[in-house]
Amino acid sequence: MSDADVARTVEEAGLNEMSRMDIDDVYTLMDVQLRERPDPMTLYRRWEKQNWSVFDLDFSKDASDWAMFPYEFKEQLVLGFRGFYLGEAAVTDTLSPMVHAAPTDADRQFLATQLVDEARHTIFFDRFFKEVLQEEGLEESRRVTDEIGYTSNKEKGFARLFYRDLVDVTDAVRLDPRDYGKWVDSIVLYHMLIEGMLALAGQRRILQVARQFDVLPGFRAGFTAVTRDESRHVNYGVYALSVAVAEGLTDRIVSTASRYLDATCDVVTRPFRRIPPVPEAMLQGFKIRDGWTFSVGQLRKRLRGAGIGDEPIAGLERQWLDRIEANLDEYESRFGEPHPARLQERNAVA
């Protein structure tokens, strides 16, 4: 099947078909859309056709699957679930200034659909947490993550990126909605780094594990639909940045990406909090470092698609790779043991 045929299948799939879909097919759709360079109204029309309801999902099998999971599996998965739950809430809370300040009516109309999507994604996780994980919603998840230090320190990791940097960037847009450059900054952080790097890589790994063990069908259906929604968001970001490049803002785009790239890397490498051992069954055929390579590869594709040249992109890639190694060194120094990524690599050589 050609890439175009795969993309068409994903575009036309209903919610019931999503649980059986290979997540890489959704990324094929993203790549096909990148080549097509859709404008905001094309993406808006896709939004109308691809709308779905959180309340059409059946989580009964998910609940029985979760009850049978060994503790080690739950421990690995639940922090990823929490990150997405809190992340979806954070991006819902911060998107409205970007809608208001959008440079054209078409931009504003598309971004309004994205705001609806982000709210729906938060409600999706709310249902999943309550009905499957047996946790009482967003405030409970915030409390738990604060207690383990995941979201309480705004100088580091997840809390810095979502609760300080994203808030600062979008608040700058709110305070000065006529400053186009500040709006472009928000697109870089929101669409390229948070959605285009963090979310895509995290979604891919979680869905690969769920599909590998053929569990959580309701979650798989909903989370795959979430990923398809975000394929529109990310490709809108490419469109918006291509306009900014034509307006002469290439250096600003690269500078903004560089400014927030280390914090983005910190979220995925997690040098500040000990990572529990990853069950071998969850690593079958998967190298931890490959997920980080996937993330920076997505950034490369999107920035090239926006018209950024190879040299500044190569500089961002070097920054990303250097930060990974620095974080793995810091983890080993802090906890007196190798980071799981390095441990996996050493075990493969032994």
Side-chain angles (χ1 to χ4, degrees):
M1 187 180 294
S2 69
D3 284 358
D5 290 334
V6 171
R8 190 177 308 109
T9 298
V10 175
E11 286 226 77
E12 296 173 356
L15 190 59
N16 290 336
E17 300 167 81
M18 291 289 183
S19 66
R20 301 185 298 274
M21 187 172 292
D22 187 330
I23 187 58
D24 283 335
D25 288 348
V26 181
Y27 298 129
T28 297
L29 167 65
M30 293 185 70
D31 290 345
V32 169
Q33 287 182 351
L34 182 63
R35 295 196 297 266
E36 293 174 350
R37 308 287 178 90
D39 61 20
M41 280 297 96
T42 300
L43 293 167
Y44 175 87
R45 289 195 294 272
R46 285 175 172 153
W47 175 80
E48 284 197 343
K49 291 179 180 179
Q50 293 170 354
N51 252 311
W52 56 282
S53 171
V54 171
F55 295 96
D56 287 341
L57 294 167
D58 180 0
F59 285 131
S60 55
K61 175 67 163 52
D62 299 58
S64 61
D65 287 343
W66 188 253
M68 299 297 292
F69 275 21
Y71 172 78
E72 294 79 9
F73 274 52
K74 290 181 178 180
E75 189 178 27
Q76 289 290 330
L77 288 171
V78 77
L79 189 60
F81 292 153
R82 287 193 204 285
F84 273 102
Y85 191 11
L86 297 175
E88 294 291 359
V91 296
T92 304
D93 291 345
T94 51
L95 182 59
S96 59
M98 298 169 66
V99 180
H100 174 66
T104 71
D105 288 335
D107 290 298
R108 192 171 303 110
Q109 288 153 1
F110 174 78
L111 284 169
T113 72
Q114 183 172 341
L115 183 54
V116 173
D117 284 342
E118 306 298 6
R120 173 169 50 211
H121 301 168
T122 306
I123 294 168
F124 162 70
F125 275 101
D126 192 66
R127 270 201 70 201
F128 179 72
F129 267 68
K130 289 177 179 176
E131 297 178 31
V132 179
L133 307 190
Q134 300 298 303
E135 271 195 21
E136 275 305 311
L138 196 56
E139 290 309 313
E140 172 70 4
S141 202
R142 284 174 175 147
R143 182 188 65 77
V144 171
T145 50
D146 275 350
E147 286 180 357
I148 64 174
Y150 193 67
T151 55
S152 55
N153 187 347
K154 293 183 181 179
E155 298 302 312
K156 297 178 179 179
F158 185 96
R160 174 183 168 179
L161 193 68
F162 283 90
Y163 297 159
R164 192 186 79 179
D165 293 344
L166 182 61
V167 172
D168 288 350
V169 165
T170 54
D171 209 38
V173 176
R174 180 184 65 81
L175 293 171
D176 195 1
R178 294 186 179 180
D179 189 320
Y180 177 61
K182 291 178 181 176
W183 184 82
V184 170
D185 293 343
S186 71
I187 292 288
V188 173
L189 178 55
Y190 196 118
H191 290 74
M192 292 295 101
L193 302 188
I194 289 177
E195 289 202 310
M197 294 186 76
L198 282 184
L200 294 186
Q203 288 160 346
R204 185 172 186 251
R205 184 60 194 144
I206 289 173
L207 285 166
Q208 284 175 333
V209 170
R211 194 165 185 259
Q212 173 186 343
F213 293 101
D214 193 21
V215 293
L216 306 177
F219 176 83
R220 288 192 339 243
F223 206 33
T224 304
V226 166
T227 307
R228 184 175 66 179
D229 288 347
E230 292 186 353
S231 74
R232 296 191 302 272
H233 307 168
V234 173
N235 276 307
Y236 169 77
V238 174
Y239 164 82
L241 293 187
S242 70
V243 175
V245 167
E247 295 290 329
L249 294 183
T250 295
D251 289 346
R252 182 164 189 156
I253 292 167
V254 175
S255 175
T256 302
S258 177
R259 186 184 319 141
Y260 298 111
L261 197 62
D262 286 352
T264 305
C265 187
D266 294 348
V267 176
V268 296
T269 52
R270 293 163 57 190
F272 316 118
R273 181 175 179 273
R274 187 178 181 277
I275 302 170
V278 183
E280 198 61 39
M282 294 182 73
L283 289 174
Q284 292 179 12
F286 175 75
K287 296 179 181 177
I288 295 171
R289 198 180 287 268
D290 287 349
W292 307 334
T293 302
F294 176 84
S295 292
V296 77
Q298 293 302 305
L299 180 66
R300 183 192 316 120
K301 284 181 185 179
R302 309 307 156 198
L303 292 182
R304 277 182 179 161
I308 307 288
D310 287 342
E311 185 175 345
I313 293 174
L316 293 172
E317 290 177 323
R318 285 193 299 272
Q319 179 182 343
W320 177 262
L321 296 174
D322 288 346
R323 185 68 172 192
I324 287 173
E325 298 310 318
N327 282 351
L328 300 192
D329 289 342
E330 178 175 348
Y331 184 95
E332 190 157 349
S333 174
R334 183 184 295 266
F335 299 108
E337 61 187 45
H339 188 284
R342 283 190 175 159
L343 183 62
Q344 183 187 44
E345 291 163 352
R346 293 173 189 177
N347 289 341
V349 172

